[in-house]
Amino acid sequence: ILSGSFSPGKFVQASGEDSLSIGEVSSVTGSAKAIRIDGTAVNLSAGDPVFQGDTIETTDSGAVGLVFLDKTTLSLSDGGKMVLDELIFDPATGNGSMAVDMLEGAFSFVSGEIAKTGPDAMKVSTPVATIGIRGTTVAGKAAVEGNENSFTLLQDADGGVGQISVSNDGGTQVLQQVGATTSISSFTSPPPPPIILTAAQIQA
């Protein structure tokens, strides 16, 4: 996806009319854009659809909020870049799968219906780890190999606390306490035991 298309604008999906959106933009601050799988770049505004395979990018000061079909919400900022790899959702049963690649930048999300169906149903990856999500709220920072990637478990709006597993070639660490944070700089280094951040540190 990141290598781009050899023939930008030559795919059926360029018009968006023959592709079903997997969600839409809920908010934009500054500048954000989507690069479709055919190479077409679209400046995003609130209400715009997003599609499977889109690469979403923000400027250094820009931020974008997305809401997906299963009610997962996600925000990206701090010069962020991510790929919407997959979203399959059956609203009748609540079953589905979701995968997002966070390539760089700050992000946060509140998982929706898909994550409730099992620990492998929703996955968010960064260059150094993969997060398995089970009904929860998470904030983090993604960066290229050799730079710090961090993951923090937050309290849900209803007061509950979910759980995430942070995994890579070095091992797995489970976060299940509010403020639990682990930071990793390499895909081969095991995620260290979490530290607990204060409310002020989380807000920062």
Side-chain angles (χ1 to χ4, degrees):
I1 290 172
L2 292 176
S3 68
S5 169
F6 290 106
S7 54
K10 301 301 183 183
F11 286 58
V12 171
Q13 292 94 328
S15 67
E17 295 174 358
D18 297 312
S19 299
L20 295 177
S21 69
I22 60 172
E24 67 177 32
V25 178
S26 57
S27 63
V28 176
T29 302
S31 177
K33 66 180 178 180
I35 301 173
R36 311 296 190 201
I37 58 174
D38 67 343
T40 303
V42 178
N43 290 322
L44 294 175
S45 301
D48 285 349
V50 292
F51 300 90
Q52 185 164 298
D54 280 359
T55 299
I56 309 295
E57 299 182 4
T58 68
T59 60
D60 290 341
S61 59
V64 62
L66 306 175
V67 58
F68 296 93
L69 294 177
D70 74 325
K71 300 182 181 177
T72 293
T73 61
L74 187 152
S75 67
L76 180 70
S77 61
D78 199 20
K81 186 176 185 179
M82 66 181 177
V83 179
L84 306 179
D85 280 332
E86 177 185 72
L87 192 147
I88 301 169
F89 180 60
D90 181 352
T93 64
N95 293 327
S97 60
M98 183 175 185
V100 177
D101 268 345
M102 294 288 180
L103 302 175
E104 56 186 329
F107 64 89
S108 64
F109 61 83
V110 180
S111 61
E113 297 300 315
I114 288 174
K116 298 176 183 178
T117 63
D120 297 322
M122 179 181 177
K123 290 188 175 180
V124 175
S125 301
T126 78
V128 303
T130 297
I131 317 168
I133 295 117
R134 180 172 286 178
T136 193
T137 305
V138 178
K141 181 75 179 285
V144 297
E145 173 81 16
N147 293 272
E148 185 176 275
N149 288 239
S150 64
F151 313 93
T152 301
L153 181 64
L154 305 178
Q155 188 172 43
D156 297 333
D158 62 4
V161 182
Q163 177 178 299
I164 62 172
S165 61
V166 181
S167 305
N168 63 10
D169 270 3
T172 298
Q173 192 66 240
V174 176
L175 308 184
Q176 49 192 350
Q177 182 177 349
V178 174
T181 301
T182 188
S183 298
I184 321 163
S185 297
S186 173
F187 190 75
T188 58
S189 299
I195 61 171
I196 307 300
L197 298 184
T198 66
Q201 289 172 319
I202 291 172
Q203 185 61 38

